[in-house]
Coordinates of all heavy atoms in Angstrom, one line a residue:
A1 N -13.7 -23.3 -28.8 CA -14.7 -22.8 -27.9 C -14.2 -23.1 -26.4 O -14.4 -22.2 -25.5 CB -16.1 -23.3 -28.1
A2 N -13.7 -24.3 -26.1 CA -13.2 -24.6 -24.8 C -12.0 -23.7 -24.4 O -11.9 -23.3 -23.3 CB -12.8 -26.1 -24.8
L3 N -11.2 -23.5 -25.3 CA -9.9 -22.7 -25.1 C -10.4 -21.2 -24.8 O -9.9 -20.6 -23.9 CB -9.0 -22.7 -26.3 CG -8.1 -23.9 -26.5 CD1 -7.3 -23.7 -27.7 CD2 -7.2 -24.1 -25.3
E4 N -11.3 -20.7 -25.6 CA -11.9 -19.3 -25.3 C -12.6 -19.3 -24.0 O -12.3 -18.2 -23.2 CB -12.9 -18.9 -26.5 CG -13.5 -17.6 -26.3 CD -12.5 -16.4 -26.2 OE1 -11.3 -16.7 -26.7 OE2 -12.8 -15.3 -25.9
S5 N -13.3 -20.3 -23.6 CA -13.9 -20.3 -22.3 C -13.0 -20.3 -21.2 O -13.1 -19.5 -20.1 CB -14.9 -21.5 -22.2 OG -15.4 -21.6 -20.9
E6 N -11.8 -21.0 -21.3 CA -10.8 -21.1 -20.3 C -10.1 -19.7 -20.2 O -9.8 -19.2 -19.1 CB -9.8 -22.2 -20.7 CG -8.6 -22.3 -19.7 CD -7.7 -23.3 -20.1 OE1 -7.9 -24.2 -20.8 OE2 -6.5 -23.2 -19.7
R7 N -9.9 -19.1 -21.3 CA -9.2 -17.8 -21.4 C -10.1 -16.7 -20.7 O -9.5 -16.0 -19.8 CB -9.0 -17.3 -22.8 CG -8.2 -16.0 -22.9 CD -8.3 -15.4 -24.3 NE -9.7 -15.0 -24.6 CZ -10.2 -13.8 -24.3 NH1 -9.6 -13.0 -23.4 NH2 -11.4 -13.5 -24.6
V8 N -11.4 -16.7 -20.9 CA -12.3 -15.7 -20.2 C -12.3 -16.0 -18.7 O -12.2 -15.1 -18.0 CB -13.7 -15.9 -20.8 CG1 -14.7 -15.1 -20.0 CG2 -13.7 -15.4 -22.3
E9 N -12.4 -17.2 -18.3 CA -12.4 -17.6 -16.9 C -11.1 -17.1 -16.2 O -11.0 -16.6 -15.2 CB -12.6 -19.0 -16.7 CG -14.0 -19.5 -17.0 CD -14.2 -21.0 -16.9 OE1 -13.3 -21.6 -16.2 OE2 -15.1 -21.6 -17.5
R10 N -10.0 -17.3 -16.9 CA -8.7 -17.0 -16.3 C -8.5 -15.5 -16.2 O -8.1 -14.9 -15.2 CB -7.5 -17.6 -17.2 CG -6.2 -17.4 -16.6 CD -5.1 -18.2 -17.5 NE -5.2 -17.8 -18.9 CZ -5.5 -18.6 -19.9 NH1 -5.9 -19.9 -19.6 NH2 -5.5 -18.3 -21.2
C11 N -9.0 -14.8 -17.2 CA -8.9 -13.3 -17.2 C -9.8 -12.7 -16.1 O -9.6 -11.7 -15.5 CB -9.3 -12.7 -18.6 SG -8.0 -12.9 -19.8
A12 N -10.9 -13.4 -15.8 CA -11.9 -12.9 -14.8 C -11.2 -13.0 -13.4 O -11.6 -12.2 -12.6 CB -13.1 -13.6 -14.8
R13 N -10.3 -13.9 -13.2 CA -9.6 -14.1 -11.9 C -8.5 -13.1 -11.8 O -7.9 -13.1 -10.6 CB -9.2 -15.5 -11.7 CG -10.4 -16.5 -11.7 CD -9.9 -17.9 -11.3 NE -8.9 -18.4 -12.3 CZ -9.2 -19.2 -13.2 NH1 -10.3 -19.7 -13.4 NH2 -8.2 -19.6 -14.0
I14 N -8.1 -12.4 -12.7 CA -6.9 -11.5 -12.6 C -7.3 -10.2 -12.0 O -8.5 -9.8 -12.2 CB -6.3 -11.2 -14.0 CG1 -5.7 -12.5 -14.6 CG2 -5.3 -10.1 -14.0 CD1 -5.3 -12.3 -16.1
S15 N -6.4 -9.7 -11.2 CA -6.7 -8.3 -10.6 C -5.5 -7.6 -10.7 O -4.4 -8.1 -10.5 CB -7.3 -8.4 -9.1 OG -6.3 -8.9 -8.3
Y16 N -5.6 -6.2 -10.7 CA -4.5 -5.3 -10.6 C -4.6 -4.5 -9.4 O -5.7 -4.0 -9.1 CB -4.5 -4.3 -11.9 CG -4.3 -5.1 -13.2 CD1 -5.3 -5.6 -13.9 CD2 -2.9 -5.3 -13.6 CE1 -5.1 -6.3 -15.1 CE2 -2.8 -6.0 -14.8 CZ -3.9 -6.5 -15.5 OH -3.6 -7.2 -16.7
E17 N -3.6 -4.5 -8.6 CA -3.7 -4.0 -7.2 C -2.5 -3.0 -7.0 O -1.4 -3.2 -7.6 CB -3.6 -5.0 -6.1 CG -4.8 -6.0 -6.3 CD -4.6 -7.2 -5.4 OE1 -3.7 -7.4 -4.6 OE2 -5.6 -8.1 -5.4
V18 N -2.7 -2.1 -6.2 CA -1.7 -1.0 -5.8 C -1.3 -1.2 -4.3 O -2.2 -1.4 -3.5 CB -2.3 0.4 -6.0 CG1 -1.3 1.5 -5.6 CG2 -2.7 0.6 -7.5
R19 N 0.0 -1.0 -4.1 CA 0.5 -1.1 -2.7 C 1.7 -0.2 -2.6 O 2.3 0.2 -3.6 CB 0.8 -2.4 -2.3 CG 2.1 -3.1 -2.9 CD 2.4 -4.5 -2.4 NE 3.6 -4.9 -2.8 CZ 3.8 -5.9 -3.8 NH1 2.8 -6.4 -4.3 NH2 5.0 -6.2 -4.2
A20 N 1.9 0.3 -1.3 CA 3.0 1.2 -1.1 C 4.3 0.5 -1.4 O 4.5 -0.7 -1.0 CB 2.9 1.6 0.4
D21 N 5.3 1.2 -1.9 CA 6.6 0.6 -2.3 C 7.7 1.6 -1.8 O 8.6 2.0 -2.6 CB 6.6 0.4 -3.8 CG 7.9 -0.4 -4.2 OD1 8.3 -1.2 -3.4 OD2 8.5 -0.1 -5.2
G22 N 7.6 2.0 -0.6 CA 8.5 3.0 0.0 C 7.9 4.5 -0.1 O 6.7 4.7 -0.5
P23 N 8.6 5.4 0.5 CA 8.1 6.8 0.6 C 7.8 7.4 -0.7 O 8.7 7.5 -1.6 CB 9.2 7.5 1.3 CG 10.1 6.5 1.9 CD 9.9 5.3 1.0
G24 N 6.6 7.7 -0.9 CA 6.2 8.4 -2.2 C 6.2 7.5 -3.4 O 6.3 8.1 -4.5
R25 N 6.2 6.2 -3.3 CA 6.2 5.3 -4.4 C 5.1 4.3 -4.3 O 4.8 3.8 -3.2 CB 7.5 4.6 -4.5 CG 8.7 5.5 -4.9 CD 10.0 4.8 -4.9 NE 9.9 3.5 -5.6 CZ 10.8 2.7 -6.0 NH1 12.1 3.1 -5.7 NH2 10.6 1.6 -6.7
W26 N 4.4 4.1 -5.4 CA 3.3 3.1 -5.4 C 3.5 2.1 -6.4 O 3.8 2.4 -7.6 CB 1.9 3.9 -5.5 CG 1.7 4.9 -4.5 CD1 2.1 6.3 -4.5 CD2 1.2 4.7 -3.2 NE1 1.8 6.8 -3.3 CE2 1.3 5.8 -2.5 CE3 0.7 3.5 -2.6 CZ2 0.8 6.0 -1.2 CZ3 0.3 3.6 -1.2 CH2 0.4 4.9 -0.6
F27 N 3.3 0.9 -6.1 CA 3.6 -0.3 -6.9 C 2.3 -0.8 -7.5 O 1.5 -1.2 -6.7 CB 4.4 -1.3 -6.1 CG 4.9 -2.5 -6.8 CD1 5.9 -2.3 -7.7 CD2 4.3 -3.8 -6.6 CE1 6.4 -3.5 -8.4 CE2 4.8 -4.9 -7.3 CZ 5.9 -4.7 -8.2
L28 N 2.3 -1.0 -8.8 CA 1.2 -1.7 -9.4 C 1.5 -3.2 -9.8 O 2.5 -3.4 -10.3 CB 0.8 -0.9 -10.7 CG -0.3 -1.5 -11.6 CD1 -1.7 -1.4 -10.8 CD2 -0.5 -0.9 -12.9
A29 N 0.7 -4.1 -9.3 CA 1.0 -5.4 -9.5 C -0.2 -6.2 -10.1 O -1.4 -5.8 -9.8 CB 1.4 -6.1 -8.1
R30 N 0.0 -7.2 -10.9 CA -1.0 -8.1 -11.4 C -1.0 -9.4 -10.6 O 0.0 -10.0 -10.5 CB -0.7 -8.4 -12.9 CG -1.6 -9.3 -13.5 CD -1.2 -9.6 -15.0 NE -2.0 -10.7 -15.5 CZ -2.3 -10.8 -16.7 NH1 -2.1 -9.8 -17.6 NH2 -3.0 -11.8 -17.2
R31 N -2.2 -9.7 -10.1 CA -2.3 -10.9 -9.3 C -3.2 -11.9 -10.1 O -4.3 -11.6 -10.6 CB -3.0 -10.6 -8.0 CG -2.1 -9.9 -7.0 CD -2.6 -9.9 -5.6 NE -1.8 -9.2 -4.7 CZ -0.8 -9.6 -4.1 NH1 -0.5 -11.0 -4.2 NH2 -0.1 -9.0 -3.2
N32 N -2.9 -13.3 -10.0 CA -3.7 -14.2 -10.5 C -4.6 -14.8 -9.3 O -4.6 -14.5 -8.2 CB -2.9 -15.3 -11.2 CG -2.0 -16.1 -10.3 OD1 -2.2 -16.1 -9.2 ND2 -1.0 -16.8 -10.9
S33 N -5.4 -15.9 -9.7 CA -6.3 -16.5 -8.7 C -5.5 -17.2 -7.5 O -6.1 -17.4 -6.5 CB -7.3 -17.4 -9.4 OG -6.5 -18.5 -10.0
A34 N -4.3 -17.6 -7.8 CA -3.5 -18.2 -6.8 C -2.8 -17.2 -5.9 O -2.0 -17.5 -5.0 CB -2.4 -19.1 -7.4
R35 N -3.1 -15.9 -6.1 CA -2.5 -14.7 -5.3 C -1.1 -14.6 -5.7 O -0.4 -13.9 -4.9 CB -2.8 -14.8 -3.9 CG -4.3 -15.0 -3.5 CD -5.2 -14.0 -4.0 NE -4.9 -12.7 -3.4 CZ -5.3 -11.5 -4.0 NH1 -5.9 -11.6 -5.1 NH2 -5.0 -10.4 -3.4
Q36 N -0.5 -15.2 -6.7 CA 0.8 -14.8 -7.2 C 0.8 -13.5 -7.8 O -0.2 -13.1 -8.5 CB 1.3 -15.8 -8.2 CG 1.4 -17.3 -7.6 CD 1.6 -18.3 -8.7 OE1 1.0 -18.2 -9.8 NE2 2.4 -19.2 -8.5
S37 N 1.8 -12.7 -7.6 CA 1.9 -11.3 -8.0 C 3.1 -11.1 -9.0 O 4.2 -11.6 -8.7 CB 2.0 -10.4 -6.8 OG 2.2 -9.1 -7.2
W38 N 2.8 -10.3 -10.0 CA 3.9 -9.9 -11.0 C 3.9 -8.4 -10.9 O 2.9 -7.8 -11.2 CB 3.7 -10.4 -12.3 CG 3.8 -11.8 -12.5 CD1 4.9 -12.5 -12.9 CD2 2.8 -12.8 -12.3 NE1 4.7 -13.9 -12.9 CE2 3.4 -14.1 -12.5 CE3 1.4 -12.8 -11.9 CZ2 2.7 -15.3 -12.4 CZ3 0.8 -14.0 -11.7 CH2 1.4 -15.2 -12.0
G39 N 5.1 -7.9 -10.7 CA 5.2 -6.4 -10.7 C 5.1 -5.7 -12.1 O 5.7 -6.3 -13.1
L40 N 4.4 -4.6 -12.2 CA 4.3 -4.0 -13.5 C 5.2 -2.7 -13.5 O 6.0 -2.6 -14.4 CB 2.9 -3.6 -13.8 CG 1.9 -4.8 -13.9 CD1 0.5 -4.3 -14.2 CD2 2.3 -5.7 -15.1
T41 N 5.0 -1.8 -12.6 CA 5.7 -0.6 -12.5 C 5.4 0.2 -11.2 O 4.5 -0.3 -10.5 CB 5.4 0.3 -13.8 OG1 6.3 1.3 -13.8 CG2 4.0 0.8 -13.7
T42 N 6.2 1.2 -11.0 CA 5.9 2.1 -9.8 C 5.4 3.4 -10.3 O 5.7 3.9 -11.4 CB 7.1 2.2 -8.9 OG1 8.2 2.8 -9.7 CG2 7.5 0.9 -8.4
Y43 N 4.7 4.1 -9.4 CA 4.1 5.5 -9.8 C 4.5 6.4 -8.6 O 4.6 5.9 -7.4 CB 2.6 5.5 -9.9 CG 2.2 4.7 -11.2 CD1 2.0 3.3 -11.2 CD2 2.1 5.4 -12.3 CE1 1.7 2.7 -12.4 CE2 1.7 4.7 -13.5 CZ 1.5 3.3 -13.5 OH 1.2 2.7 -14.6
A44 N 4.6 7.7 -8.9 CA 4.9 8.7 -7.8 C 3.7 9.1 -7.0 O 3.9 9.5 -5.9 CB 5.5 9.9 -8.5
T45 N 2.5 8.9 -7.5 CA 1.3 9.2 -6.7 C 0.4 8.0 -6.6 O 0.3 7.3 -7.6 CB 0.6 10.5 -7.4 OG1 0.0 10.0 -8.6 CG2 1.4 11.7 -7.5
R46 N -0.3 7.9 -5.6 CA -1.3 6.9 -5.4 C -2.5 7.1 -6.3 O -3.0 6.1 -6.9 CB -1.9 7.0 -4.0 CG -3.0 6.0 -3.6 CD -2.4 4.6 -3.5 NE -3.5 3.6 -3.5 CZ -3.6 2.7 -2.5 NH1 -2.7 2.6 -1.6 NH2 -4.5 1.8 -2.5
E47 N -2.9 8.3 -6.7 CA -3.9 8.5 -7.6 C -3.6 8.0 -9.0 O -4.5 7.4 -9.6 CB -4.3 10.0 -7.7 CG -4.8 10.6 -6.4 CD -3.7 10.9 -5.3 OE1 -2.5 11.0 -5.7 OE2 -4.1 11.0 -4.2

């Protein structure tokens, strides 16, 4: 139960954010509560 509670709290602090990555490229990143970022992939459109 303690492990599950920790997992739920950790997941609640995660966010997925989009930022510009050059002309016509958009970068999707996963951020943790310490604001560390891991890149996932790039997209051709912001939408």
Side-chain angles (χ1 to χ4, degrees):
L3 285 178
E4 177 63 13
S5 174
E6 180 182 332
R7 182 194 70 79
V8 169
E9 288 175 21
R10 190 173 51 249
C11 286
R13 293 188 304 260
I14 293 170
S15 67
Y16 294 89
E17 300 173 359
V18 176
R19 67 174 189 256
D21 188 36
R25 292 177 47 166
W26 301 94
F27 185 70
L28 178 65
R30 175 181 167 144
R31 290 194 181 270
N32 65 15
S33 60
R35 305 306 292 160
Q36 296 169 318
S37 178
W38 290 267
L40 298 177
T41 191
T42 57
Y43 291 88
T45 65
R46 175 72 190 233
E47 293 79 19

